[in-house]
Amino acid sequence: MKTALSNVRVFDGRRLVPGSTVVIEDALIGSDPAGARRIDGAGRVLLPGLIDAHVHIDGPHHLAALASYGVTTALDMASVPGVTAPLRGLAGQTDIRSACIPAIAPGSLHASFPGVGPAGLISGPDEAKQFVADRVAEGADYIKIVVGSPFADHEQATIDALVAAAHDRDKLVVAHASSSGSVAKAQAAGADILTHAPLDQPLDPAAVAQAAAAGRTVVPTLTMMQAIVSHVAPPGADFGNATASVAALHEAGVPILAGTDANSSALIPGGVRHGESLHRELELLAAAGLPAVDVLRAATELPATVFGLADRGVIEPGRRADLVLLDGDPIAGIRATRSIRRVWIGGIGVDPADADEHAR
């Protein structure tokens, strides 16, 4: 069935374009409204489907929770083998990509995570090529390296070897780097994407300039960093350090992506919930100084571009019909992203209330 959403204000990555008509034809955005069932958008705002660039998926209930909050794509950053594979490409469900098992240092905190930890242990650089080959065989879309985990960490040579092996396989490298020291190690190795913003101190100008010069991307997961400070309060940790780094990186032109670290593990603090937390992340990015347009791009166009998802992230003919219809104006106030009226995933309508009920 073809549907035409008329009289909507479409976010085009720069502004809201009023009086627009968007055609949903099967799973894609079409161009011809002839013969379509028409829906009057009544001047509401239409966003591309939201993308959470850092989650942990444990089952289908997480997909339902994400969908209920307009998150139509989620990038899993560590999962137990066999969990994410059956959840890929489900019609009308949040679409996922995954790192599968991350590279973890023996003896570190992350080594204790059930399923993921023991399977991801890397003791030295000579194990890097096999680790990456195993992840590619599992279907990993990118390679995740945990740098700077408490109690133990990879040597620089091991991180270097993992990044080189991943790049040899044309895979992006995502580095867990939640301290200034781990950011330095990840940058020295040439990691493509840094996830988590340091709490120990703001990134210094040299580190920011290095990230900008290298074309690096940052997923600060401010929601999780705030939760760590609130629930664990590590010595010297200050959430202000994280927001200061985000502001400096954005000012330097480093792409900032919206990611939450949503999870249901008892070993991770804060209770960061799938779906709802992305809207909190957008609010924290705005509070850190990002203009509303850049905040919206951080959850739509930018993650699609960085992770090579060329079929989504913007509203134009030929792209996936991943759409979120809002009652409010998120450029006027970012909290309006919560005012969800309707969601479409691959052209299939999802009622947020029904999805949210299913997710409980």
Side-chain angles (χ1 to χ4, degrees):
M1 177 184 293
K2 185 160 60 171
T3 301
L5 306 176
S6 61
N7 190 23
V8 290
R9 290 181 288 163
V10 170
F11 178 65
D12 70 354
R14 302 178 304 279
R15 62 191 182 95
L16 298 179
V17 180
S20 299
T21 296
V22 174
V23 178
I24 300 172
E25 189 166 4
D26 298 324
L28 303 178
I29 297 172
S31 57
D32 182 7
R37 177 176 67 97
R38 291 187 172 268
I39 297 176
D40 183 0
R44 295 186 178 92
V45 170
L46 191 67
L47 300 180
L50 301 176
I51 300 173
D52 190 329
H54 190 136
V55 302
H56 298 279
I57 301 292
D58 294 335
H61 57 297
H62 286 160
L63 301 188
L66 290 161
S68 73
Y69 285 96
V71 181
T72 60
T73 301
L75 306 180
D76 173 71
M77 289 298 164
S79 62
V80 176
V83 170
T84 53
L87 302 178
R88 290 175 179 257
L90 300 179
Q93 297 288 327
T94 296
D95 195 34
I96 63 172
R97 300 293 186 273
S98 181
C100 299
I101 298 170
I104 298 170
S108 67
L109 173 65
H110 286 76
S112 65
F113 286 19
V116 171
L121 298 183
I122 298 296
S123 299
D126 57 321
E127 299 177 10
K129 287 187 178 180
Q130 189 60 55
F131 173 84
V132 172
D134 289 344
R135 301 296 76 76
V136 171
E138 283 178 354
D141 298 287
Y142 35 84
I143 302 301
K144 170 83 175 290
I145 306 172
V146 178
V147 182
S149 181
F151 312 131
D153 194 12
H154 298 293
E155 297 292 334
Q156 185 68 54
T158 301
I159 304 169
D160 294 347
L162 285 164
V163 172
H167 287 169
D168 284 346
R169 294 282 191 140
D170 295 322
K171 296 295 184 183
L172 291 171
V173 175
V174 180
H176 166 112
S178 58
S179 68
S180 55
S182 58
V183 167
K185 294 176 77 170
Q187 294 215 89
D192 304 290
I193 300 162
L194 306 175
T195 189
H196 308 307
L199 293 171
D200 58 336
Q201 64 184 51
L203 292 178
D204 62 35
V208 171
Q210 183 181 8
R216 208 150 274 133
T217 298
V218 174
V219 188
T221 67
L222 292 178
T223 303
M224 174 54 75
M225 309 321 287
Q226 187 178 62
I228 289 173
V229 171
S230 299
H231 295 273
V232 180
D238 186 338
F239 182 63
N241 292 333
T243 58
S245 293
V246 169
L249 289 162
H250 179 262
E251 179 67 22
V254 176
I256 303 295
L257 308 187
T260 62
D261 206 0
N263 67 88
S264 57
S265 172
L267 297 177
I268 302 176
V272 178
R273 296 177 55 201
H274 293 77
E276 186 277 335
S277 59
L278 184 64
H279 299 274
R280 176 61 178 160
E281 187 72 19
L282 300 183
E283 292 155 14
L284 291 173
L285 290 174
L290 272 67
V293 165
D294 290 340
V295 173
L296 294 175
R297 293 182 72 238
T300 54
E301 180 182 354
L302 287 181
T305 299
V306 169
F307 282 89
L309 305 176
D311 62 343
R312 66 198 71 187
V314 297
I315 300 175
E316 62 183 33
R319 306 289 183 123
R320 267 178 63 104
D322 291 346
L323 303 164
V324 181
L325 187 66
L326 304 178
D327 283 328
D329 178 351
I331 293 180
I334 199 64
R335 281 189 60 85
T337 62
R338 296 177 181 266
S339 63
I340 299 173
R341 173 61 65 105
R342 189 70 170 167
V343 178
W344 289 265
I345 303 178
I348 297 175
V350 177
D351 182 73
D354 289 348
D356 195 39
E357 182 67 26
H358 177 67
R360 290 190 175 95

